[in-house]
Amino acid sequence: MTETSAEAKRKLPMRSVLAVVLALVAALAAPCGAEAYQSVDKYVSGGHGYLNASYLVIHETANPGASAYNHTLLWSRDDTYAVHHVMELDGSTVYNTVAENRLCWHVGNGNGYTIGIELAHATNAADFAKQWNEAVKWAGDELRSHGWDTSRLLSHYEAAQRWGGSDHTDPNGYFRQYGKTWYEFKQAVAAYLGSGYVAPIAPTDGNGGTVASSTTTAKTDTSFGGTYRCNTGRLNVRTSPSLSGTVVAGYSYGQTVTLDNWYCISNGYVWGRYTSYSGYTRYVAVGKPTGGYDPNDYLVRVGAAASQARPASTGRSAGRYRIVVGTLNVRSGAGTGYGVVASYHRGQTVNLDGTFVTSGGYVWGRYTSYSGHTRWIAVGTASGAVYTQRG
Ligand SMILES: [Zn+2]
């Protein structure tokens, strides 16, 4: 539930043991299968600023019996605590109420990291069982659409424990009311995603990537400073040169910023620095550490784009890589903390897309699987051990 909906909480009707048993039976008997929920756009708010989320948070409304549709009406009148999505009492519909790149106030200090969904609070076991099944599918589909695994799936309670600024414990009590636990929900989502593996909670960062490497070094470079133009629809301005830095502002396409003679490489990006009008030191991602100007850069130096020098990180590029070790794990994220979802064997090849990240002593390369998932393999170690070769 959102931060102020506690007052709306009403005393719950008494639940009989029979009802709980029926809920369990209904949940177990419910068929698995394709998507059944309807996704309906019903935007009620532009949110409270930019959002570049890396986690999904599950809430319950704490409004027993109040429909998701009624929540869309409520948020249309007052969008202060509108959340990105809200699911109907019986799971039949998910209303998309705030765009996922817009900030919602739903988990205290974790707002800047998270997309949220409210589950309307069902008051009977049959509705709950249907909603549970649809919520599992929706959460799985949502994680998949972002290239995330269950390490990015949090309850409001977990989000509150992680970032603070909130004392809510939902949806634990709601699930418990019908004999379910939050861990069972995560397990069901993992099973739906096909891995069955509940990944440990991911380290805090801003973008589904890896935590800033401890080897991040800042460099003074007199050729780096100058005026840059924003080359993307929106570019986050952060309080530190890392995806875990708090987003405090944004640049839009065509706007310019004058960067210092300083840069660092962190989270797979080259970061530039400037001082805001208000006197604060701010950081922006310039682009990937490709070693030079790249058309995908977020900031392009005004007047000298094509010859712009750029620090390189791994010196690797997109293309076919051959496995030269016995077995190589395929993971759902760039780090050994992510689940192993497949493996390659000596002599097999994989086409990597050119994104490489150094994390935990390994250099990770990325590709998209036939099923559309983002996958990572360690192409070698940061200290030079070779697991793959080009060709
Ligand atoms: Zn909540």
Side-chain angles (χ1 to χ4, degrees):
M1 63 181 161
T2 52
E3 294 310 312
T4 59
S5 58
E7 306 115 52
K9 198 173 201 169
R10 288 179 223 122
K11 199 167 164 60
L12 299 174
M14 287 293 287
R15 297 271 121 220
S16 70
V17 172
L18 178 63
V20 173
V21 170
L22 285 174
L24 283 168
V25 169
L28 290 170
C32 301
E35 174 185 322
Y37 64 84
Q38 300 251 336
S39 179
V40 175
D41 289 344
K42 193 172 188 307
Y43 292 102
V44 299
S45 169
H48 303 287
Y50 291 115
L51 174 65
N52 186 5
S54 47
Y55 293 84
L56 173 63
V57 174
I58 309 292
H59 300 267
E60 64 103 354
T61 60
N63 255 327
S67 70
Y69 182 75
N70 275 330
H71 280 82
T72 70
L73 299 180
L74 174 74
W75 294 337
S76 296
R77 292 192 294 272
D78 179 354
D79 67 354
T80 310
Y81 297 103
V83 180
H84 300 96
H85 308 275
V86 55
M87 177 174 265
E88 200 47 274
L89 293 162
D90 63 358
S92 57
T93 305
V94 172
Y95 295 102
N96 307 311
T97 39
V98 182
E100 293 190 341
N101 63 359
R102 303 299 298 175
L103 186 73
C104 289
W105 290 345
H106 63 123
V107 287
N109 299 342
N111 290 332
Y113 305 102
T114 51
I115 292 164
I117 183 170
E118 292 275 2
L119 305 179
H121 190 124
T123 54
N124 67 76
D127 275 355
F128 178 82
K130 283 189 261 181
Q131 186 192 57
W132 173 276
N133 286 321
E134 298 310 316
V136 165
K137 289 184 219 163
W138 182 87
D141 292 343
E142 176 72 9
L143 293 174
R144 187 180 282 154
S145 75
H146 289 276
W148 300 343
D149 62 16
T150 50
S151 70
R152 305 282 164 176
L153 178 62
L154 304 176
S155 64
H156 186 167
Y157 177 67
E158 286 174 327
Q161 296 293 304
R162 187 176 183 78
W163 290 291
S166 171
D167 60 0
H168 291 215
T169 60
D170 61 294
N172 294 358
Y174 173 54
F175 285 179
R176 203 176 301 123
Q177 186 187 345
Y178 292 101
K180 290 286 195 181
T181 66
W182 171 245
Y183 186 71
E184 285 176 296
F185 185 83
K186 287 187 94 162
Q187 278 185 308
V189 173
Y192 176 77
L193 286 172
S195 70
Y197 169 75
V198 177
I201 294 176
T204 302
D205 65 45
N207 196 26
T210 52
V211 167
S213 163
S214 58
T215 59
T216 297
T217 49
K219 292 199 169 61
T220 299
D221 182 340
T222 54
S223 70
F224 193 83
T227 303
Y228 288 73
R229 177 168 284 122
C230 183
N231 188 40
T232 185
R234 67 188 176 88
L235 180 65
N236 288 329
V237 173
R238 296 181 185 269
T239 54
S240 63
S242 141
L243 293 172
S244 58
T246 303
V247 176
V248 290
Y251 280 101
S252 304
Y253 189 87
Q255 290 189 298
T256 58
V257 56
T258 301
L259 300 179
D260 298 343
N261 286 319
W262 178 98
Y263 70 84
C264 77
I265 300 174
S266 166
N267 295 147
Y269 295 98
V270 176
W271 297 83
R273 184 183 74 182
Y274 70 96
T275 303
S276 72
Y277 290 117
S278 49
Y280 293 103
T281 303
R282 300 302 191 205
Y283 300 88
V284 286
V286 176
K288 298 284 185 184
T290 54
Y293 165 76
D294 183 283
N296 295 317
D297 284 347
Y298 304 137
L299 288 174
V300 175
R301 188 197 289 274
V302 172
S307 61
Q308 182 178 333
R310 171 70 56 72
S313 61
T314 67
R316 291 176 171 85
S317 57
R320 195 169 71 156
Y321 286 72
R322 185 175 300 279
I323 311 316
V324 298
V325 291
T327 302
L328 193 61
N329 288 329
V330 175
R331 294 181 185 270
S332 57
T336 53
Y338 291 89
V340 175
V341 293
S343 61
Y344 279 107
H345 302 286
R346 188 190 308 276
Q348 291 186 298
T349 59
V350 56
N351 287 311
L352 301 180
D353 68 9
T355 294
F356 294 89
V357 170
T358 301
S359 168
Y362 297 93
V363 178
W364 301 87
R366 187 179 74 176
Y367 70 98
T368 302
S369 71
Y370 291 116
S371 55
H373 296 93
T374 301
R375 301 303 190 204
W376 298 83
I377 58 168
V379 296
T381 67
S383 56
V386 172
Y387 298 160
T388 60
Q389 285 180 346
R390 281 299 297 269

